[in-house]
Amino acid sequence: MKTQRYLPFLLTLTCAVVVAAQEPAPTPKLNLMPVPASIEFHQERLRIDSNFKVATRGHSDARLQAGIFRFMKRLEGRTVLTMAPGFAPDDQMTHLIIHAQGPGKSIPSVSEDESYHIDITNRQALLSAPTVIGVLRGLETLLQLLDADRTGYFFPGVQIDDKPRFPWRGLMIDVARHFQTMEVLKRNLDAMAAVKLNVFHWHLTEDQGFRVESKKFPKLHQLGSDGNFFTQEQVKEIIAYARDRGIRVVPEFDIPGHSTSWLVGHPELGSAPGPYTIERRPGIFEPALDPTREEVYKFLDTFLSEMAGLFPDDYLHIGGDENEGKQWDRNPAIQAFMKQKGIKDNHALQAYFNTRLLKILQKNGKKMIGWDEILQPELPKDIVIHSWRGTAALAEAAKKGYYGILSNGYYIDLIHPASSHYAPDPVPANTTLTPEEAKRVLGGEATMWAEWVTPETIDSRIWPRTAAIAERLWSPREVTDVDDMYRRLGVISIQLEELGLTHKKNREMMMRRLVRNDDIGPLRTLVSVIEPVKEYRRYQMRPQTMLSPLTGVIDAATPDAEGARKFSWMVKEFLGDGPRYQLYQSELSQMLSEWQTAGASLGPLVDRSPAIREIKPLAQNLSQLGDIGLEAISYLKLGMPPPRDWRETTMVKVDEAAKPYGALEFVVVSGVKQLVLAAAEIKP
Amino acid sequence: MKTQRYLPFLLTLTCAVVVAAQEPAPTPKLNLMPVPASIEFHQERLRIDSNFKVATRGHSDARLQAGIFRFMKRLEGRTVLTMAPGFAPDDQMTHLIIHAQGPGKSIPSVSEDESYHIDITNRQALLSAPTVIGVLRGLETLLQLLDADRTGYFFPGVQIDDKPRFPWRGLMIDVARHFQTMEVLKRNLDAMAAVKLNVFHWHLTEDQGFRVESKKFPKLHQLGSDGNFFTQEQVKEIIAYARDRGIRVVPEFDIPGHSTSWLVGHPELGSAPGPYTIERRPGIFEPALDPTREEVYKFLDTFLSEMAGLFPDDYLHIGGDENEGKQWDRNPAIQAFMKQKGIKDNHALQAYFNTRLLKILQKNGKKMIGWDEILQPELPKDIVIHSWRGTAALAEAAKKGYYGILSNGYYIDLIHPASSHYAPDPVPANTTLTPEEAKRVLGGEATMWAEWVTPETIDSRIWPRTAAIAERLWSPREVTDVDDMYRRLGVISIQLEELGLTHKKNREMMMRRLVRNDDIGPLRTLVSVIEPVKEYRRYQMRPQTMLSPLTGVIDAATPDAEGARKFSWMVKEFLGDGPRYQLYQSELSQMLSEWQTAGASLGPLVDRSPAIREIKPLAQNLSQLGDIGLEAISYLKLGMPPPRDWRETTMVKVDEAAKPYGALEFVVVSGVKQLVLAAAEIKP
């Protein structure tokens, strides 16, 4: 579900200001993310050295053993200790006892018990869980508990009782607008498991690409994908990989709209004669399946039955969003059909289409999930509404008896900060739902729409921010301390790299390519305080197609620009320390001087590197912001009021310097303004 | 072929001092690597913008088109320009005309014509070649020619006539000691193509692992690989991927020694009863196939025929190295066989074995290649001797009429600098071979033995140094300017990153994991001036097994440590500027101060990070070397002689600080000593 039409809704919600929880958050000063449901500390420490041994108790199977093997490899990787392979006896000499009471469901399910218990003493750690998936969740917690002191590595003494708040905690990856490789999916599944997400929603078809092999209708992938699709063998490999990590795989086939790529090979399914070509632009397009012809349902019956056999999950996502019905309006046969059947509008026609789809899914033992638009009274109560509209729409559905999941507020493609995704709650504290109704809100999904991501950049658009969403969906509602979230996010972000994620390391690589040199210092300084413009402004300001290179400065820049976050924090401390203004004064001045220098050095760098030419004005403005910040600080230091019109002329300069170029904008402007305003308030 | 037994040989050759060529090298001041056979410049420039268009002329096929597609994607990626997909008409308006005269051989071959011609004017570039592979080589040259000025990107005006000096230019990757993934192989094949290497020698079996699926004898890979092997489908995928890039794939099945992993599933092939387990240590081991039993040949006949069908190349590598025959000596049946057949020693027994192997290969239409040890008079003249012994052994074989390739001097696992690999020439200037004999020296191969590399680190052990070897094997013998090689290597190294190589970007990622923090500054400073110990000393100083984590500081450190190279160069300039000592004085002092600071900051970092504990003495010594260097510089600056015994006591201190710890050693010691000696020579 893309939201270009509904921008105001989203804007309101994703820009919601995050307020600190009123009661003190129970977040412990540990690096756990998501924060467990219950945790108690004590002073003991279980030491870890190369003699570290693991035993299993109770149920054991291949999935459990593979999970423990991966755990040990990561533990070894971080500690650089060689530990003995295999399992030790279940006795008092063994450091970690893992007790799975049973295998859990053979196919990961929304009703899986993911709870686990950890008890760590000086002598031994016990991880127990009703299911293997519970154990897998606990192993991730253990890896996050790993700590060190002068003596060496250890697990701190804790008692943890943990289970998720919501049973549906997903990440949707759109592999259609830009294709993503097997490696991208695998490393992201590993990362999902690391933060206890449990649904990989695989957005497989779009106007811009049909990405799964169909043996029944091979023209779908052959003509609709530029050769970039997943074979059925690869699909099975991903499903097995996900299952091994306790993750469900929910495929999405987005119909009746968003279907241009289907029609390239099968124009006969369309509501207009065609021919069709793969769409290369972003946006909402007219092509839609024809819901009035029996051959279309026959086709869908065969195709969806094939896919239902391939994907074992209980649910199948049918999309259903953003069909504007323009092709339907113009097709006389469709209009005649509607008249004959008494179908009053396009919404009703789509409802008719969905009812037919539902029968196909039911025949194949699948439950339907689709975007908000599919909600209609005739549908049975086991469908799931996937809401991009928000908690109100979700609550309304729940009151009617429908299940739902939230994605409004979790659109990670929009380049908002982690804090903005951390705030929205599928069942907020002020909910009007009864406890029973609230249970129908199953959870939520982060959505990685893929207009502007390639395998090289996608990790930096998903991580680490999605860990904040994972916490929202797993941890108690009361866990809302934004500062502590960011602190832990920094730690988790580095841990995610051990799984092969490239969200940190590709940034400098891309800068080296842009300037064809190792000396990227000044560019790095600039990129640390700018971000791509938010929402859908990128395309408006810097039009590209799905075939364009995504290798520009905008692609190296990331949400939550680190230098900017550091700057804001230092400004807050510095101003909070008034009228002395000593706290972080020298660090702040140093940072502002760096901006001056970097801005100046970028000039010659831009001259040698046409690929970064678009940032030339940003370089000048970086120097300007540095100048202004230092000027303000010097007034504050001296306690000397600036000249009369200084505030006004300076704020004009800041606004001028704040303009975006190359669809990149400074995220340090409000900090600089705060400095200016504080200086302007100095009394003579 | 591993060389532990023969260390002195290798040591002599790989440590050979690189002397600048006596005649001025014809290397142009461009970034081409390898340097073309012939290049002429003129002042024209072919401008590149988003209208850039390509046309083909003459032969066209899928491989050519895919190669041009990849070329365009890389061109777009670097320039951040969106160019129109597809081909333009062959007319004067089209910027690049590509003219392949024919397809070349359907399977890449040692007799392939790889030559190409490039002619670039203001208006148009023409790339022509007799074969598609020639075009692919030329496209890589074009990408290296890409340059920029204030106006934008351009190809400089040149005329290039290029062809390789040697037809066999390989990279061997050992995927047996440590398994490597498909992605590792693919990105390395891309990198090979980028520097015009044309043979991927796939070392598939070892004591430590059997890495290819056998449908005939599935116990080989099932029991010999810990589940880490390439399926036959994957092998085909790699062969196709390599062929698309004009690269041959030569598989190696190393027998009769180095075969422990074979015997885990098939102990009946061994020369001792077994049972066998996969070897986890590095080194040379006793297990060897029994060359006296017919069932062994029957097995090999079936197995090698299966493999001969899987791998289309003309050659099959049978290893043959380092079989010490200890199992043979102790086996009475083998001894009786030798007596009966009049086989006088183990070498003769292995010759008997090879003669039998040869028949199997011949039956399957394959030519044999093996390490030095296989050379014996009975073998036909179409076999290839793969020499780890050196150019003398190679020349001897060539005089006897045998083909050969060189790997001595190209052992990139030994952590020597690129300069040491750049020097050895398969047919050196002082060769005693006649031109006809010299033609039998087909080229050489860089060998990536995999005791201490994982998918995370292997790229940093192969690249960028292997580009220097690629140049030795492609470019004219006279191209030997080491400084210019390093200059170009720096540029190429960044370009290689666009192919997904991790040799640069994984370094800091590994440091972040070690210190669990983004603030890696002081560790980075240390790692920039230290290197892993050379040759086979790593295992002696820091024993690990094939199952150990390779995530330590030693694994983040790389050959040709960049800070050290910069330091050496600055010391040379500084001392060369005596008695003024102004050139680079402040940069040098700044670098030495950084060592002091970093050394001091590392203390607390080590206390928080047990994984880097082994570098604690190195941190202290880094400070010490900084102190000493600054002291020497201050004497030199002042022209003041140091106290009498200063030189002696200081040199003792330097030697003390130079000691390796954690199998890591400073590579700035000789520079610091030069400073000390220069200061000690100041006359009062």
Side-chain angles (χ1 to χ4, degrees), chain B residues 242-419:
Chain B
R243 178 189 179 276
D244 247 17
R245 285 147 186 81
I247 296 173
R248 298 165 48 207
V249 177
V250 176
E252 177 179 351
F253 308 97
D254 197 354
I255 42 179
H258 286 279
S259 56
T260 309
S261 67
W262 302 54
L263 304 176
V264 181
H266 288 279
E268 76 278 8
L269 304 176
S271 303
Y276 296 87
T277 56
I278 298 174
E279 182 57 56
R280 304 303 186 186
R281 297 161 299 171
I284 298 172
F285 302 96
E286 297 187 3
L289 305 190
D290 185 340
T292 68
R293 279 185 287 130
E294 284 309 308
E295 68 199 83
V296 173
Y297 295 107
K298 205 175 147 202
F299 181 99
L300 288 174
D301 190 354
T302 307
F303 173 73
L304 291 174
S305 299
E306 182 187 15
M307 292 299 124
L310 185 58
F311 292 91
D313 197 78
D314 284 343
Y315 290 85
L316 193 147
H317 202 303
I318 56 115
D321 57 315
E322 292 180 332
N323 170 40
E324 297 180 333
K326 289 187 186 163
Q327 278 196 343
W328 293 354
D329 294 340
R330 285 196 299 265
N331 182 325
I334 292 176
Q335 294 305 314
F337 179 90
M338 288 170 74
K339 206 164 180 178
Q340 182 207 329
K341 294 260 185 189
I343 295 172
K344 66 177 198 304
D345 58 15
N346 286 339
H347 182 71
L349 183 57
Q350 188 163 339
Y352 168 82
F353 176 75
N354 288 342
T355 313
R356 299 286 303 263
L357 273 191
L358 183 72
K359 292 212 181 78
I360 296 172
L361 295 190
Q362 284 172 334
K363 193 179 78 178
N364 285 288
K366 297 293 181 193
K367 294 174 189 167
M368 180 186 279
I369 169 169
W371 298 101
D372 279 311
E373 287 93 329
I374 70 159
L375 186 56
Q376 63 194 76
E378 315 86 280
L379 291 178
K381 294 294 187 279
D382 66 355
I383 69 161
V384 174
I385 302 300
H386 189 172
S387 186
W388 58 268
R389 286 189 178 145
T391 44
L394 207 56
E396 198 188 311
K399 281 185 182 159
K400 288 181 184 152
Y402 289 99
Y403 291 103
I405 60 171
L406 182 68
S407 273
N408 181 302
Y410 305 145
Y411 273 45
I412 49 178
D413 61 317
L414 302 183
I415 316 287
H416 289 296
S419 55

Side-chain angles (χ1 to χ4, degrees), chain B residues 1 17 30 37 59 63-64 214 237 246 343 401 407 444 446 481 636 682:
Chain B
M1 167 66 228
V17 175
L30 274 177
H59 174 78
R63 177 163 65 165
L64 180 77
S214 170
E237 196 178 330
I343 295 172
S407 273
D481 179 337
L636 289 165
I682 300 171

Side-chain angles (χ1 to χ4, degrees), chain A residues 73 77 81-82 150-151 153 183 494 497 504-506 509 512 517-518 547-549 551 607 611 613, chain B residues 73 77 81-82 150-151 153 183 494 497 504-506 509 512 517-518 547-549 551 607 611 613:
Chain A
K73 283 292 150 199
L81 293 167
T82 303
R150 275 168 183 263
T151 311
Y153 290 95
E183 301 84 67
I494 291 172
E497 290 194 275
K504 291 174 84 83
K505 65 188 180 184
N506 275 7
M509 179 270 284
R512 285 190 288 269
N517 204 298
D518 281 310
L547 300 178
S548 297
T551 53
D607 286 339
R613 199 181 282 152
Chain B
K73 284 291 150 200
L81 293 167
T82 303
R150 275 168 184 264
T151 311
Y153 289 96
E183 300 84 67
I494 291 172
E497 291 193 275
K504 290 174 85 83
K505 65 188 180 185
N506 274 7
M509 180 270 283
R512 286 190 287 269
N517 204 297
D518 281 310
L547 300 177
S548 296
T551 53
D607 286 339
R613 199 180 283 153

